[in-house]
Each structure stands twice: as C-alpha cells, then as structure tokens.
Amino acid sequence: MTASHSDSLVVLFGATAGAYGAKLGSDERELILLVWQVVDLPSKKVGTLHKSLVKADNLELSDQCREVSGLTPEGLGKAEPLDRVLQQFSQLVSSDLKVLGRSSYTLCSDGQLLIRQVLHPETSKKNFLLSDCFYSFYDLRKEFHTCYPSSAAVKDQTIKTMAEYLGLGTDETEEDFGVWQVKTMVAIIFSMLSESCNHIFTEPETVKYKYETGPCSKSETVDSETVIRARGLPWQSSDQDIARFFKGLNIAKGGVALCLNAQGRRNGEALVRFVNSEQRDLALERHKHHMGSRYIEVYKATGEEFLKIAGGTSNEVAQFLSKENQVIIRMRGLPFTATQEDVLGFLGPECPVTGGKEGLLFVKYPDGRPTGDAFVLFSCEEYAQNALKKHKEILGKRYIELFRSTAAEVQQVLNRYMSTPLIPTLPTPIIPVIPPPYTIATGSARDCVRLRGLPYTAGIDDILEFMGDATGDIKPHGVHMVLNQQGRPSGDAFIQMKSADKAFMVAQKCHKKMMKDRYVEVFQCSGEEMNFVLMGGTLNRSGLSPPPCKLPCAEALTPQATAAAPPAVTYYPAQAAQLYMNYTAYYPSPPVSPTTVGYIAAPPGAVAAAATATHTPILPQPGALVRMQGLPYNTGMKEILSFFQGYQYAPDDYNGLIQLSDQARSVLQAPKEWVCL
C-alpha cells in the first residue's frame, strides 16, 4: 500500500481566466478549466482522462490566458458553472475508481496554488462547499524533491522542469492545454514509483476545515515569518470573516487578532498568524483581494506586533478562554451596577451561556470599577446568533451593544483597561511654558501632509530620509508623530510644509513610496484637519470626526474677550525627552495636553517661578481634572454634581484657569466648585 489512506491518486490540473504559473490565483480570477485522471498506484493503471471547461461569471480572459490555453469566451459560454463541474468530477472519479476496483483516493496537484489559492477561495465566495477530498492532497513538487533531492528547489519546480530532469518528452504542442500537463504528471509519478526510487506517498498536505479559536500568552514565541497585517477590513468583520477571506490557508489556532483603536473599537486592521512561512507567503499573494465590495491590503508583520495585540498574562482571562471552540460575544454599554444574574436574564433561555456564570467575563479597571464591557461564551453558532439579535435592546435604562468577538480581542481589551487608567491625571513634574512662535498650524490652508502606514519602528530620521529633498520645505518643528493610547507609534504622522504648493508636490512625489518594507500613503491636508487628529479625532473617507475630548459642555465656556485673555499655558510630561518631535496620542488627553514642542521637565520651584513671571494660573498638583465617558446624552450639570456627591472638590484656582459663563457658574457655586469637562 503506497498511501496512508488510499491506493489511488487523482492527478488534477486547472487554469483560471487570469494569471498562469507562479501567479495562479493571485488576481482573483475564476477557474475556467479542470483536467484530471485517476492513477491506481499498486497496478500502475490509469483511468479515463477527463477535461471540463468551467463557465465563469466573468468571461473576459487575460491576454496570457488566451495565449497559453487557446480558450475563447465563446467556448466557455457553453460550459457548465463550477458547482456543476465539481459534481461531475465526483461522479466520474467514482466511476473510474469502480472500474479499477478501488474506493478511495487522494488528489495530487502541481503545487499548492490550484487547491489553496483558487478552488477554496472561489467556492467560499460563491457559498458552496467543497467535498472532503479537497481538504487533503499531495503536492507533486514536494514529493518530487523528496524523491530526487538533487533536483531544483520546490519553489522553482514546474511540470516541465520535472519532466526534463527525468528525460521525459516536453513538447506541449502535441496535446491540448491541460491534457499534456496531466499526462506528464502521471508519467512523473510512474517514474517515482519505479524500483530505482520506490517512492511512497504517505504525508499529504491538509487544509483546515475551520478556524480554531484559542488564547495566546505573551510568553509564547511567535515567528515573524508567519504573521501578516490585513488592512481595510469592514469594522463589523469577525475572526471567522477573516478566516474565510484566507480560506484554503491554515491559520494557527487563535491566530486572528483584530486591532482596536484608542476608544476600544475596531480600526479595520487585523494581525493574522499562519502555521508556517509557506502559508504566510501565500497569504501575501491575496493583497487587494476583496471582502465583499472592499479590497483588503495584506502586508508582512512581526511576531512582536502580534503578541502586543493578542498576548495576555491574566490568569482570569486564560481560564475564561480555556474552553475551546466557543463563540465569543462582546457586550458593551452595560450599566455599572449590572450583575451576572442581570446579564444572564438579559440573554434569556434561548441563548444559554456556556458554564452559566463561568461563561461571563466582566471588564474592570485596575481599581475594580466596571467599564460597562463584558464577554460571553456560547457553545454553538445558533446560540450566538440568538444573542446578537438582542443588539441594542434595553438592560436597566441603557441599550446594550453586542458584537462577535475573538480571544485576541478579549486579551487586548483586558490589557488596555488593566494597564492604563481610562481617566488620566497630569504627570509630574510639569513646567508651564508660553507657546513659542512655531505653533501648530490652523485654518483651511492645505499646507500639511499626512503620512499613513508608517512602519511602527520608523523614527524622525526615517521620515526625513523618506521626504528626500522636500525636507528643506518642512517648517521648523513641523513633524508630528501620532501615538496610540500606550504611547507607541500608530503608523501616522503629520508634517507642516512651508506652503500649500510644497505640500501638494510632496503628496504627489511620495505617495505610496516605500519606507523599509512598507509603502506609505501621503495625503495633502489642512492644519485644521491635522489638529483634529492630533487632539484625538479621526480623519477618513467619511470626513472629520471630532476629538473625543471635545467638551460636551463647551457652550458653558466663555467665548468673549479671547483677545484679552492671558497667554495660554501648555503642559508637557517630564518623560518626553525628544524636543524635535511632537508625540500626541489618539487617546483623548486632558485639555492641557501639549500641542507643540519645546517643553522640558523642571523642579517644583521652577514651576512656581514661571507662574509668577507669567501671571498665568497653573493647575494644583496633583491634577484634579477628570473626564467622564459614557454619559447619557440628556445628562445635565446637576446630575453630574450629584454623581460626585461626597468627594473632595476642586479649589478656587480652577476659576482662573477655565472661564465659565454666568449660568454655569451659578450651578457650580459653593459648597460645590467642580469643573466638569
């Protein structure tokens, strides 16, 4: 017996309407041809050779396809669609096996591409299932290299080079396209089965039936040659959607990590870890393939980046995720007083939670306060779908959002909340400095550029080198890196140019230019748009979204007499040592966060001296400003003051720092003097 589970091979060859050879399947073109023949290994007999044309939805053929295959749209228009052809394939293979006295078989193809990059992705998009035989196959190139180690490397092998190595005839013009390939593959197999080689087919390639979820520990070692970054994902996409996009490739267990922005929402990116570098390289060939109507960009990433997103250290999370093959749902907006019983009652008997209370994980701040988020485990897709139907239903007085989630998202959310308090306080020491002449630009003049997609290791020197000759047109202190909530580069940067014309020229010259191993997008923008992002807002195809730190009670701040107001004091944390770069977080910062560069640490005495010299009020230390998030939209000042009843209030010094309208001041009079931002 020459195979571990069958005595027969079905030699399979196919072609698409687009690229051929090493690029097969890389352009998303549909399958138009299948040719196959059954080979009985013990007797070395063959069945009938079959050739079937496949009618594609798009009958337009590439020039290469026309030249190589000789096929025409007219001929393909008379063929059967793929699902019918695959049914015929199964029936004809069964008939040939019966004639040969066999019952089982394994596919054998020329490389990985036909099975992994063509058949599985196309059938997944067309929503029909492949039979089990397509989840296990032999790669003839690998088998050949095993049998003949002195032959060319696997990646350089073709049917023609293998035939030439064995001295077989290689005149392709003698047979129809596809027929010669299958006959030659059969001849190669028989040579491998000869007494001089006596090759045994025992370890077929496998395609995973489904993506397996699971936890990832920060202590794991992740090979950087197995990780990619997918960008441009629909915000509602789940790990299963991403696994479907990469259908045919084997993703590692728990290998899909959806990335979140500073507000805890998905940002359209994901890191995906594959079982080996070969699978990763195939995934890179799906760059700009489509998920629905959106094309997805696929780039190389590192194991370190994957662990930052997916890795965790919490024993509580590890225990929660220890139950395998569970569907995870994220609940957001829970009342802070919600208990496990409340959540189970909200979900109801139609969607039972795995393990009852043990299947619930509440997300909390380091001090134990609830965040309003929770994760829930369900044992099957049916229960999860029932739960998702409760999206935006009411619990208590709040509507609850429900989304599909992943193990990596659980780790990411827990890591974020446990590592950084959501309400930041001002670090010390802090020195106030009157803003210098080189302030950040404002207004609608499009004299700035935005760099998107920077390598996360990129620094100021890399950006200046990337800009080339245009560095001479950058304003002094005009490079502004955008950081995420953890203070790490987000991949974005803004640069102030000396004029709108200079900004336009840079955007034209540098757009999609490579920096290290990534291309960087460069867009012209205005100072106003730049400030929106630097203060925590977003700028995308939908336009500008205000920064989260825009004050909901901004109308209470006095707009008049701004010209007569004293110079603004700006604060900068002591740990910032790079004076040539402005690091501003996506995450909403206190209103006195830095908006320009040039601030250094100073002892407390210098702080007081600076205050006396400038006659500008300074926040008492430690800072007492807090930001409230998740307030009901109809909340007023009285409700906020009532919420903080019993706490120590701010001193009178705040009255000089933040100007209030008479209406607002009447509410904040003694004994309460809170300033709500």
mmCIF file of all heavy atoms in Angstrom, residues 1-20:
data_model
loop_
_atom_site.group_PDB
_atom_site.id
_atom_site.type_symbol
_atom_site.label_atom_id
_atom_site.label_comp_id
_atom_site.label_asym_id
_atom_site.label_seq_id
_atom_site.Cartn_x
_atom_site.Cartn_y
_atom_site.Cartn_z
ATOM 1 N N MET A 1 0.856 -1.188 0.000
ATOM 2 C CA MET A 1 0.000 0.000 0.000
ATOM 3 C C MET A 1 0.885 1.228 0.000
ATOM 4 O O MET A 1 1.714 1.422 0.874
ATOM 5 C CB MET A 1 -0.902 -0.005 1.240
ATOM 6 C CG MET A 1 -1.873 1.152 1.318
ATOM 7 S SD MET A 1 -3.051 0.864 2.663
ATOM 8 C CE MET A 1 -3.881 2.438 2.690
ATOM 9 N N THR A 2 0.728 2.130 -0.979
ATOM 10 C CA THR A 2 1.640 3.248 -1.170
ATOM 11 C C THR A 2 1.100 4.573 -0.681
ATOM 12 O O THR A 2 1.720 5.597 -0.881
ATOM 13 C CB THR A 2 1.980 3.379 -2.662
ATOM 14 O OG1 THR A 2 0.771 3.534 -3.386
ATOM 15 C CG2 THR A 2 2.743 2.156 -3.137
ATOM 16 N N ALA A 3 -0.030 4.570 -0.040
ATOM 17 C CA ALA A 3 -0.550 5.794 0.565
ATOM 18 C C ALA A 3 -1.128 5.445 1.893
ATOM 19 O O ALA A 3 -1.603 4.353 2.114
ATOM 20 C CB ALA A 3 -1.602 6.444 -0.336
ATOM 21 N N SER A 4 -1.097 6.399 2.780
ATOM 22 C CA SER A 4 -1.516 6.117 4.142
ATOM 23 C C SER A 4 -3.006 5.856 4.243
ATOM 24 O O SER A 4 -3.453 5.169 5.140
ATOM 25 C CB SER A 4 -1.133 7.292 5.058
ATOM 26 O OG SER A 4 -1.758 8.487 4.598
ATOM 27 N N HIS A 5 -3.816 6.397 3.313
ATOM 28 C CA HIS A 5 -5.251 6.208 3.440
ATOM 29 C C HIS A 5 -5.919 5.878 2.114
ATOM 30 O O HIS A 5 -7.127 5.802 2.037
ATOM 31 C CB HIS A 5 -5.895 7.476 4.027
ATOM 32 C CG HIS A 5 -5.645 8.716 3.223
ATOM 33 N ND1 HIS A 5 -4.440 9.347 3.202
ATOM 34 C CD2 HIS A 5 -6.455 9.414 2.400
ATOM 35 C CE1 HIS A 5 -4.505 10.413 2.411
ATOM 36 N NE2 HIS A 5 -5.705 10.469 1.904
ATOM 37 N N SER A 6 -5.169 5.700 1.012
ATOM 38 C CA SER A 6 -5.770 5.314 -0.258
ATOM 39 C C SER A 6 -4.709 4.701 -1.157
ATOM 40 O O SER A 6 -3.517 4.926 -0.983
ATOM 41 C CB SER A 6 -6.416 6.522 -0.955
ATOM 42 O OG SER A 6 -5.416 7.451 -1.356
ATOM 43 N N ASP A 7 -5.171 3.931 -2.122
ATOM 44 C CA ASP A 7 -4.272 3.309 -3.095
ATOM 45 C C ASP A 7 -4.315 4.025 -4.431
ATOM 46 O O ASP A 7 -3.673 3.582 -5.385
ATOM 47 C CB ASP A 7 -4.657 1.842 -3.314
ATOM 48 C CG ASP A 7 -4.299 0.995 -2.102
ATOM 49 O OD1 ASP A 7 -3.264 1.276 -1.487
ATOM 50 O OD2 ASP A 7 -5.074 0.074 -1.790
ATOM 51 N N SER A 8 -5.088 5.113 -4.515
ATOM 52 C CA SER A 8 -5.256 5.798 -5.798
ATOM 53 C C SER A 8 -5.021 7.294 -5.659
ATOM 54 O O SER A 8 -5.314 7.893 -4.620
ATOM 55 C CB SER A 8 -6.665 5.555 -6.354
ATOM 56 O OG SER A 8 -6.910 4.173 -6.515
ATOM 57 N N LEU A 9 -4.483 7.863 -6.708
ATOM 58 C CA LEU A 9 -4.336 9.313 -6.812
ATOM 59 C C LEU A 9 -5.230 9.822 -7.932
ATOM 60 O O LEU A 9 -5.435 9.126 -8.943
ATOM 61 C CB LEU A 9 -2.888 9.702 -7.119
ATOM 62 C CG LEU A 9 -1.800 9.333 -6.106
ATOM 63 C CD1 LEU A 9 -0.436 9.810 -6.610
ATOM 64 C CD2 LEU A 9 -2.098 9.933 -4.746
ATOM 65 N N VAL A 10 -5.743 11.025 -7.765
ATOM 66 C CA VAL A 10 -6.421 11.716 -8.861
ATOM 67 C C VAL A 10 -5.560 12.912 -9.217
ATOM 68 O O VAL A 10 -5.472 13.879 -8.455
ATOM 69 C CB VAL A 10 -7.849 12.160 -8.473
ATOM 70 C CG1 VAL A 10 -8.452 12.992 -9.603
ATOM 71 C CG2 VAL A 10 -8.719 10.958 -8.183
ATOM 72 N N VAL A 11 -4.875 12.805 -10.344
ATOM 73 C CA VAL A 11 -3.993 13.883 -10.790
ATOM 74 C C VAL A 11 -4.865 15.004 -11.339
ATOM 75 O O VAL A 11 -5.679 14.790 -12.248
ATOM 76 C CB VAL A 11 -3.009 13.370 -11.860
ATOM 77 C CG1 VAL A 11 -2.127 14.511 -12.350
ATOM 78 C CG2 VAL A 11 -2.164 12.240 -11.289
ATOM 79 N N LEU A 12 -4.687 16.217 -10.794
ATOM 80 C CA LEU A 12 -5.592 17.330 -11.084
ATOM 81 C C LEU A 12 -4.813 18.538 -11.577
ATOM 82 O O LEU A 12 -3.791 18.920 -11.007
ATOM 83 C CB LEU A 12 -6.370 17.694 -9.814
ATOM 84 C CG LEU A 12 -7.438 18.787 -9.933
ATOM 85 C CD1 LEU A 12 -8.594 18.294 -10.803
ATOM 86 C CD2 LEU A 12 -7.962 19.159 -8.542
ATOM 87 N N PHE A 13 -5.307 19.140 -12.646
ATOM 88 C CA PHE A 13 -4.723 20.364 -13.192
ATOM 89 C C PHE A 13 -5.839 21.354 -13.491
ATOM 90 O O PHE A 13 -6.944 20.955 -13.897
ATOM 91 C CB PHE A 13 -3.935 20.066 -14.474
ATOM 92 C CG PHE A 13 -3.357 21.287 -15.139
ATOM 93 C CD1 PHE A 13 -2.155 21.833 -14.700
ATOM 94 C CD2 PHE A 13 -4.022 21.910 -16.188
ATOM 95 C CE1 PHE A 13 -1.621 22.969 -15.302
ATOM 96 C CE2 PHE A 13 -3.504 23.050 -16.797
ATOM 97 C CZ PHE A 13 -2.294 23.575 -16.352
ATOM 98 N N GLY A 14 -5.575 22.647 -13.277
ATOM 99 C CA GLY A 14 -6.590 23.659 -13.544
ATOM 100 C C GLY A 14 -5.984 24.961 -14.004
ATOM 101 O O GLY A 14 -4.780 25.206 -13.872
ATOM 102 N N ALA A 15 -6.829 25.833 -14.555
ATOM 103 C CA ALA A 15 -6.394 27.153 -15.015
ATOM 104 C C ALA A 15 -7.506 28.151 -14.762
ATOM 105 O O ALA A 15 -8.695 27.801 -14.720
ATOM 106 C CB ALA A 15 -6.027 27.114 -16.501
ATOM 107 N N THR A 16 -7.125 29.415 -14.588
ATOM 108 C CA THR A 16 -8.098 30.487 -14.376
ATOM 109 C C THR A 16 -8.117 31.408 -15.592
ATOM 110 O O THR A 16 -7.309 31.268 -16.518
ATOM 111 C CB THR A 16 -7.751 31.323 -13.131
ATOM 112 O OG1 THR A 16 -6.553 32.089 -13.382
ATOM 113 C CG2 THR A 16 -7.539 30.426 -11.922
ATOM 114 N N ALA A 17 -9.009 32.380 -15.558
ATOM 115 C CA ALA A 17 -9.130 33.340 -16.659
ATOM 116 C C ALA A 17 -8.055 34.416 -16.598
ATOM 117 O O ALA A 17 -8.032 35.311 -17.452
ATOM 118 C CB ALA A 17 -10.513 33.989 -16.627
ATOM 119 N N GLY A 18 -7.175 34.333 -15.602
ATOM 120 C CA GLY A 18 -6.151 35.360 -15.443
ATOM 121 C C GLY A 18 -4.752 34.819 -15.472
ATOM 122 O O GLY A 18 -4.316 34.194 -16.445
ATOM 123 N N ALA A 19 -4.020 35.039 -14.373
ATOM 124 C CA ALA A 19 -2.602 34.692 -14.310
ATOM 125 C C ALA A 19 -2.398 33.185 -14.366
ATOM 126 O O ALA A 19 -3.270 32.394 -13.976
ATOM 127 C CB ALA A 19 -1.984 35.270 -13.036
ATOM 128 N N TYR A 20 -1.212 32.811 -14.827
ATOM 129 C CA TYR A 20 -0.872 31.403 -15.007
ATOM 130 C C TYR A 20 0.463 31.146 -14.318
ATOM 131 O O TYR A 20 1.256 32.052 -14.102
ATOM 132 C CB TYR A 20 -0.786 31.089 -16.506
ATOM 133 C CG TYR A 20 -0.322 29.689 -16.846
ATOM 134 C CD1 TYR A 20 -1.137 28.592 -16.623
ATOM 135 C CD2 TYR A 20 0.943 29.476 -17.403
ATOM 136 C CE1 TYR A 20 -0.711 27.306 -16.942
ATOM 137 C CE2 TYR A 20 1.375 28.190 -17.736
ATOM 138 C CZ TYR A 20 0.544 27.113 -17.497
ATOM 139 O OH TYR A 20 0.962 25.848 -17.807
#
